[in-house]
């Protein structure tokens, strides 16, 4: 007994000097267990500050931390939930049942606050008592501080700290903790994803691909409502704005329903483009619109700009080249009961601008007066290519504007890897339009797409000298005279 007590005190002193945060102390207690000759039960009352006896509860001597799964799961590629079990030793207080709530309130900074783990458990030795589990990171030496002891004294609770064997299972670990334990040490752990209805959309790195099916199942397990996990397998196709994907785990149903800004959309995620990270941007643009405005959505997708604008009583002309997007756009217009205010097209963006947009602007703009409150907006959300479409606005209309106030406002999106993304997108827009936008445009950072790659929106009112082609003074002359003049013959030479 003397040898046991002395060794415990010595080990306790040396161990806490170097690793006070190592809360399960397997090496120490394995040695003590050798002296005692037995492993005690799950709950041991410590009668004094020195260590006496404690079970070896972690199968591996390398303690990976209180909230880490068993180290044996490293390298697992097929999910085995049973392998994540481990038992750790945590501090606990023995408290009478009628005092439990008072203790929890008084020691709320020291009580275990781990979601999914009980803070109060039954005392196997006393039906009238309960065990209040304390946070081992706050009570690293299994001994309460002076202030906590004074609080317990006022509650007539004995301040002795006991050791409780707490069993942790797969259900008790967070997804990032599970993936960090499984993937090779030092490699990046990605537990984030985009949620599209019941689908979790992941963008896994190359080093994560051998574990992709396990990662997908963990994401499903740890996120209620997620029943399918997919991984993007190629870059977004710039023609139809969709991408190939692999179902990692769960059901293979990729037709889903989402809700954004109080509007419901249905879509087939494998065939159309949808990005939940653009919700704020959709809302920002729609807030600029007023009832009665006209919106031309050149790359409409399934309608995240068009449908909220129609719900705001705007007249909407929406277009998308992808037949699937066009089909779901019509479906979502009916779903949200705005199909009477949305005219949909399935065309190339240039053809849409040169056809329906030109025709409607030709009818709409001559009617605009200075005091008129309605406005025209053109949204071009195809960041990879939209800036290249701006040249379509050069001399799209013929004549003179009845009012500069009624000139359409363009909201064009683009990517930039430039050190000054705002200047970059403005200069590219100016090159396409053939005019300066200095002082006549605004740029808005939408989101960071990747390291050193930004998505921006440039907004500007199309200058009249860009949008309108003024008729030549001689256009009223007979065609033969215009032809000759254009070939360098004067009227005098023609008459002579």
């Amino acid at each position: 007994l003397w040898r046991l007590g002395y060794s415990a005190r010595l080990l306790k002193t040396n161990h806490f000097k170097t690793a006070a945060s190592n809360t399960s102390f397997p090496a120490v207690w394995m040695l003590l267990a050798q002296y005692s000759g037995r492993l005690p039960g799950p709950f041991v009352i410590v009668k004094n500050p020195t260590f006496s006896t404690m079970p070896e509860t972690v199968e591996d001597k390398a303690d990976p931390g209180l909230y880490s799964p068993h180290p044996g799961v490293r390298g697992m590629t097929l999910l085995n939930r049973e392998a994540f079990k481990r038992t750790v030793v945590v501090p606990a207080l023995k408290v009478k049942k009628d005092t439990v709530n008072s203790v929890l309130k008084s020691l709320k900074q020291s009580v275990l606050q781990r979601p999914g783990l009980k803070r109060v458990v039954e005392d196997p030795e006393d039906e009238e008592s309960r065990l209040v589990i304390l946070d081992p990171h706050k009570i690293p030496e299994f001994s309460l501080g002076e202030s906590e002891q004074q609080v317990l004294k006022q509650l007539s609770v004995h301040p002795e700290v006991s050791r409780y064997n707490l069993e942790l299972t797969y259900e008790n670990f967070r997804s990032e903790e599970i993936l960090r334990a499984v993937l090779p040490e030092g490699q990046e752990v990605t537990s984030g994803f985009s949620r599209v209805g019941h689908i979790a959309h992941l963008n896994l790195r190359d080093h994560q691909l051998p574990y992709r099916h396990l990662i997908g199942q963990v994401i499903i397990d740890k996120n209620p409502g997620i029943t399918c996990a997919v991984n993007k397998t190629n870059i977004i196709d710039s023609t139809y704005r969709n991408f190939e994907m692999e179902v990692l785990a769960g059901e293979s149903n990729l037709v889903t329903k989402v809700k954004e800004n109080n509007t419901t959309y249905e879509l087939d995620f494998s065939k159309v483009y949808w990005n939940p990270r653009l919700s704020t941007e959709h809302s920002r643009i729609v807030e600029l619109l007023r009832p009665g405005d006209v919106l031309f959505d050149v790359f409409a997708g399934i309608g995240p700009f068009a449908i909220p604008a129609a719900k705001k009583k705007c007249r909407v002309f929406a277009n998308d080249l992808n037949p699937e997007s066009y089909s779901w756009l019509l479906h979502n217009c009916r779903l949200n009961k705005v199909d009477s205010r949305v005219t949909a097209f399935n065309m190339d963006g240039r053809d849409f601008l040169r056809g329906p947009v030109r025709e409607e602007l030709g009818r709409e703009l001559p009617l605009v007066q200075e005091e008129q409150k309605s406005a025209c907006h053109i949204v071009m959300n195809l960041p990879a290519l939209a800036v290249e479409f701006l040249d379509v606005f050069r001399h799209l209309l013929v004549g003179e504007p009845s009012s500069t106030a009624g000139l359409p406002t363009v909201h064009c999106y683009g990517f930039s890897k430039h050190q000054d993304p705002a200047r970059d997108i403005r200069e590219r827009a100016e090159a396409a339009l053939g005019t300066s936008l200095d002082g006549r445009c605004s740029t808005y950072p939408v989101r960071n797409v990747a390291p050193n790659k930004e998505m921006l929106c440039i907004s500007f009112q199309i200058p009249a000298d860009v949008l309108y082609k003024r008729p030549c003074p001689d256009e009223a002359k007979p065609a033969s005279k215009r032809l000759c003049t254009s070939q360098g013959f004067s009227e005098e030479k023609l008459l002579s």
Side-chain angles (χ1 to χ4, degrees), residues 206-268:
D206 288 343
H207 71 271
Q208 298 168 333
L209 294 179
Y211 308 89
R212 62 189 184 279
H213 298 296
L214 180 145
I215 294 173
Q217 189 59 57
V218 170
I219 295 299
I220 290 174
D221 290 346
K222 297 298 177 180
N223 295 274
I226 295 292
T227 59
C228 175
V230 301
N231 180 46
K232 183 172 70 173
T233 58
N234 71 342
I235 62 174
I236 295 176
D237 174 65
S238 60
T239 303
Y240 285 164
R241 292 200 298 174
N242 54 11
F243 47 81
E244 293 180 8
M245 62 183 70
E246 177 187 13
V247 176
L248 303 178
E251 61 180 318
S252 297
N253 177 23
L254 297 179
V255 175
T256 189
K257 179 184 290 188
V258 297
K259 192 167 186 178
E260 178 184 277
N261 302 325
N262 297 316
T263 300
T264 300
Y265 304 90
E266 293 180 352
L267 62 135
D268 184 336

Side-chain angles (χ1 to χ4, degrees), residues 415-425 427-428 448 451-454 456:
F415 294 133
S416 177
K417 294 183 178 180
H418 198 273
Q419 290 183 342
D420 188 345
R423 189 183 76 181
D424 175 50
I425 195 171
E427 290 178 349
R428 286 158 53 200
N448 178 258
N452 303 316
K453 185 177 181 180
E454 299 289 333
L456 303 94

Side-chain angles (χ1 to χ4, degrees), residues 112 114-122 131-133 164 166 172:
L112 184 67
R114 175 79 172 182
L117 292 178
K118 293 182 179 180
R119 295 181 297 170
V120 180
V121 298
E122 293 185 0
L131 302 178
V132 175
I133 309 300
Y164 180 76
L166 179 65
N172 299 128

